[in-house]
Amino acid sequence: MTVFLRSSCFALLALFLASAASAAEWGTITGRFVFDGTAPKPKQLKCDKDPAICCVKPHIDESILVSKDGGLANVIIYLRTKVADVHPDYAKTASDKVAMDNHECKFVPHVQGVVAGQTLVVSNSDKTGHNSNVQLLGINPLISAQGKFEQKITEDQASGVVPMEVTCNIHPWMKGYLLVRPNPYFAISDAEGNFTIKNVPAGKELEFVVWQESPGWVTDVKLAGKATKWAKGRMKMTVKPGENKLGDILVASKIFK
Amino acid sequence: MKQRCVKPRFWVVLVGTLGLAVGCGKAPSPRFDSNLMVMDKYDISFEQQQDIANALAALFGTPDDPYVPKESGLDKDKIKLAAGPTKSDKAGVHTGLYREHCAHCHGISGNGMGPTAAFLKPYPRDYREGWFKFKSTERAEMPTNADLERILRHGIPGTSMPAFEVALVQPEIEALVEYVKYLSLRGMVEIELARQTSEELGEGERLPTTAEFLVEGVLKPQAEKWSSAETKLMPVAAPPADFGSPASIAAGKSLFYDVNKANCLKCHGTTALGDGVLNDYDQWNKDVAEFRTKADATLASLTEQRGKAEEDFATAVEALGADSALSEEERKQQRETLEKDKAATLKKLGEKERMLPTAMAYTLVPRYIEPRNLRMGVYRGGRRPLDVYYRIHSGINGTPMPAIANLVADSELPADLSEEEKAQRRQSLQTQRMWNIVDYVLSLPYEPGGELGADISMLGRERN
């Protein structure tokens, strides 16, 4: 066995060592994810636990949320390439608390992103107890009404490939996602589909991953009007110093469930 | 060395069950099976799967010839005693303990898929994720040696997991504990290799095979999780002085049924018979259920997806031809890219077609987990008050059973205390309340009917 280890002649370690040089210049990426086609009408979810508290307003399936003019919400875009350091501005948020609330028996926000070093705060603003089960973080706190649970996120927890599912086993319709990353280079598109990633190292080819809960990896898009395939949701780009506008990114309707 | 031939008493031969050598005659040497569900999750190609298998063989060897790198932190001699085919030498040293006592339930690879597994409820544990239930460490952490030893000695009451206290002597139990850790670590390393292949490697790049990468980069961080278990113990404060008193039980009872407090009734039911939520999965079964649904859908749509790939290609080629802005050279290049994309899609579909049916055959029909019927007085993780405290403090890893996060409202703390004093007061009140709940839980089997209108005739009803 050791022979096997020793005899290996190609050391492809380079990739695992973060690139050493620190970027002198930074660029900001903006864009908008758009559902290409007619968006399906969100289904209403079955609500049958704690009806007086939870089922006052109907719950809808949030897996595909499209705004009036087609903007696709909750698309995650994160930097896959390892970077040596991040822009000094990010130091301000490096030990922030990042919230996810159990609100009206829904996770708010539906998708949240947290960076290693930050503290995840799961709170409960309802008048009933919830549990928030994230197996991949090894947590499942039972949170009393008006209570909260806090945990600092470690580097080790921040290595997931895809966002982690958050569920409440008491209220089975509840579902949310947590993106846990080693660096702050990610964005989650807002209700209009817009996203911004600030101060990305410029000048070097980087690879981003694009993910949405319904299809998983976003593989088929139209970028600047051109049909483009992103294997495993991967998009390569070299960021220019300053503004980098991607414009509308049309996500093919066929990839959605 | 004469081999003792073990006649298995209760092999149940399942069609397609993983080549389990029985130790007699010329049975083929058993192999470790690949974790195909994880390979599918991370979209690992056949070539990459082979690289992962090679890396695992280099680090862990085979079931008959295990390799125990010293960085694993595992004891090689103990592993040798537990591994391999079951036999005794002249001196009476008995080896192959895992295959003799455990493999028919937990499987050669520790995937919980031994030949008997399909008939058991709950299913035997799959060790490969490193999720263990009944332990003294925090929820996300690995169990200690003492935790695993306890499980092996006493079994898991209320499940088919046997107690080996009588059948095995101390060194044998220790050897098996070590072997469970070996299989679990191997499974965790396999998952980590798949994750890194997906997350870290560039396009077309192969998994590095250097010792530096495999041992330092992959094995050690996983092994560290096991070797640090002893330092990840749950904090336990002694029970309050009134533990066991009617007042303590009553306090526990009101917390248990209060939806704004402990809220235990939501899952364990308004009568604690375990019938609050009956259609929920634990993580193992949930992963299988989701995998099966996705795999079924993929297999059913293969033809359609192939057609789509051809169609997309044809449309794109047509668009290329019509694009007068392109030079001949650009057109050629773009066509090549399109061809490459199409070939990659078709190759991937071909691999899914071959892999998914096998991967599905390596899963058991997913089953719901039932919250415990707390009136039965059967505690899987042990019946000592401390055991029940552990279960309530950290919940049960891998299952819906949650860990109590907070039982004390801000309004209960005097406003004039400093932040530090508040935190202390909160902690001590919370601990006391958890012990109250333990008190109530342990009293439940003796509680007649229960205030909440339990039908007494149902109390003996077998559930879960």
Side-chain angles (χ1 to χ4, degrees), chain A residues 15 144 159 165 234 254, chain B residues 195 198 200-201 286 312 406:
Chain A
L15 192 105
S144 307
S159 52
E165 205 176 86
R234 290 175 194 173
K254 67 171 183 202
Chain B
R195 190 194 68 76
S198 181
E200 321 268 348
L201 296 187
K286 182 175 170 188
D312 284 357
N406 64 303

Side-chain angles (χ1 to χ4, degrees), chain A residues 1-2 4 8 12 15-16 50 80 82 127 129 135 140-142 144-145 147 159 165 169 181 232 234 254, chain B residues 42 57-58 67 131 195 198-201 209 259-263 266 280 286 312 397-398 400 402-403 405-406:
Chain A
M1 251 56 77
T2 36
F4 175 75
S8 62
L12 293 173
L15 192 105
F16 295 89
D50 286 325
R80 177 175 187 263
K82 292 226 164 122
K127 288 205 167 62
Q135 180 64 34
N140 182 0
L142 181 64
S144 307
S159 52
E165 205 176 86
N169 300 87
R181 293 294 301 162
K232 291 178 114 173
R234 290 175 194 173
K254 67 171 183 202
Chain B
Y42 289 124
Y67 179 68
W131 300 333
R195 190 194 68 76
S198 181
E199 175 75 333
E200 321 268 348
L201 296 187
T209 54
V259 293
N260 288 315
K261 287 288 195 304
N263 206 15
K266 274 294 151 47
D280 201 3
K286 182 175 170 188
D312 284 357
N397 192 19
N406 64 303

Side-chain angles (χ1 to χ4, degrees), chain B residues 353-372:
Chain B
E353 185 170 29
R354 281 175 57 195
M355 180 173 102
L356 289 180
T358 318
M360 292 229 258
Y362 274 67
T363 59
L364 299 171
V365 180
R367 279 189 182 150
Y368 294 134
I369 186 160
E370 283 155 15
R372 197 80 69 250

Side-chain angles (χ1 to χ4, degrees), chain B residues 215-263:
Chain B
V215 176
E216 299 295 321
V218 181
L219 174 68
K220 266 180 139 176
Q222 301 302 317
E224 166 72 15
K225 293 183 183 167
W226 277 102
S227 55
S228 66
E230 310 283 344
T231 66
K232 304 286 173 59
L233 300 182
M234 274 181 241
V236 189
D242 71 343
F243 186 74
S245 70
S248 169
I249 293 174
K253 180 172 182 174
S254 76
L255 290 162
F256 188 100
Y257 293 107
D258 187 340
V259 293
N260 288 315
K261 287 288 195 304
N263 206 15

Side-chain angles (χ1 to χ4, degrees), chain A residues 1-2 4-5 8-13 15-16 49-50 78 80 82 126-131 133 135-149 156 159-162 165 167 169-171 175 181 207 209 217 220 226 229 232 234 236 254, chain B residues 41-43 54-55 57-58 61 67 131 139-140 195-203 205-206 208-215 225 259-263 266-267 276-277 280 283 286 290 308 312 334 341 345 397-407:
Chain A
M1 251 56 77
T2 36
F4 175 75
L5 288 178
S8 62
C9 47
F10 30 66
L12 293 173
L13 264 175
L15 192 105
F16 295 89
K49 292 274 157 73
D50 286 325
Y78 69 83
R80 177 175 187 263
K82 292 226 164 122
D126 285 334
K127 288 205 167 62
T128 185
H130 287 289
N131 73 304
N133 191 348
Q135 180 64 34
L136 294 178
L137 282 182
I139 60 170
N140 182 0
L142 181 64
I143 313 174
S144 307
Q146 316 296 321
K148 65 173 190 252
F149 165 85
D156 181 49
S159 52
V161 173
V162 288
E165 205 176 86
T167 55
N169 300 87
I170 300 171
H171 306 103
K175 199 167 170 181
R181 293 294 301 162
E207 196 170 36
V209 176
W217 287 312
D220 289 80
K226 217 173 131 250
K229 282 233 183 276
K232 291 178 114 173
R234 290 175 194 173
K236 285 202 174 83
K254 67 171 183 202
Chain B
K41 169 178 169 188
Y42 289 124
D43 229 353
N54 291 345
Y67 179 68
W131 300 333
R139 186 178 184 104
R195 190 194 68 76
Q196 291 212 12
T197 297
S198 181
E199 175 75 333
E200 321 268 348
L201 296 187
E203 219 176 276
E205 195 178 356
R206 303 282 292 266
T209 54
T210 57
E212 175 150 23
F213 169 71
L214 291 178
V215 176
K225 293 183 183 167
V259 293
N260 288 315
K261 287 288 195 304
N263 206 15
K266 274 294 151 47
C267 296
V277 175
D280 201 3
Q283 197 66 37
K286 182 175 170 188
E290 283 172 1
K308 216 61 227 171
D312 284 357
Q334 290 193 18
D341 283 354
T345 307
N397 192 19
T399 81
M401 171 69 194
I404 284 186
N406 64 303
L407 286 174

Side-chain angles (χ1 to χ4, degrees), chain A residues 104-153:
Chain A
E104 296 179 346
C105 307
K106 227 169 77 161
F107 291 112
V108 180
H110 181 60
V111 181
Q112 182 59 288
V114 48
V115 186
Q118 293 181 329
T119 297
L120 174 69
V121 181
V122 188
S123 53
N124 176 5
S125 57
D126 285 334
K127 288 205 167 62
T128 185
H130 287 289
N131 73 304
S132 302
N133 191 348
V134 195
Q135 180 64 34
L136 294 178
L137 282 182
I139 60 170
N140 182 0
L142 181 64
I143 313 174
S144 307
Q146 316 296 321
K148 65 173 190 252
F149 165 85
E150 296 196 356
Q151 192 176 68
K152 191 167 165 164
I153 300 297

Side-chain angles (χ1 to χ4, degrees), chain B residues 93-247:
Chain B
V93 176
H94 196 53
T95 55
L97 296 165
Y98 182 79
R99 241 172 269 176
E100 180 175 8
H101 298 288
C102 322
H104 58 95
C105 286
H106 290 282
I108 287 285
S109 321
N111 58 3
M113 290 268 307
T116 339
F119 307 100
L120 304 176
K121 190 181 176 202
Y123 290 135
R125 181 64 37 75
D126 176 350
Y127 309 133
R128 295 172 303 174
E129 299 273 1
W131 300 333
F132 291 84
K133 288 183 177 179
F134 306 116
K135 54 204 173 66
S136 57
T137 53
E138 293 284 7
R139 186 178 184 104
E141 309 298 339
M142 301 301 139
T144 64
N145 283 355
D147 290 334
L148 290 174
E149 254 191 68
R150 254 178 74 83
I151 290 288
L152 292 204
R153 286 193 181 286
H154 305 310
I156 304 181
T159 80
S160 57
M161 169 70 199
F164 290 96
E165 180 131 57
V166 179
L168 300 173
V169 294
Q170 180 63 19
E172 293 177 324
I173 289 196
E174 282 175 23
L176 284 161
V177 163
E178 206 68 359
Y179 199 71
V180 168
K181 291 163 68 176
Y182 163 83
L183 289 176
S184 182
L185 180 61
R186 186 185 172 283
M188 289 159 70
V189 166
E190 180 175 27
I191 294 170
E192 179 60 12
L193 286 167
R195 190 194 68 76
Q196 291 212 12
T197 297
S198 181
E199 175 75 333
E200 321 268 348
L201 296 187
E203 219 176 276
E205 195 178 356
R206 303 282 292 266
L207 196 68
T209 54
T210 57
E212 175 150 23
F213 169 71
L214 291 178
V215 176
E216 299 295 321
V218 181
L219 174 68
K220 266 180 139 176
Q222 301 302 317
E224 166 72 15
K225 293 183 183 167
W226 277 102
S227 55
S228 66
E230 310 283 344
T231 66
K232 304 286 173 59
L233 300 182
M234 274 181 241
V236 189
D242 71 343
F243 186 74
S245 70

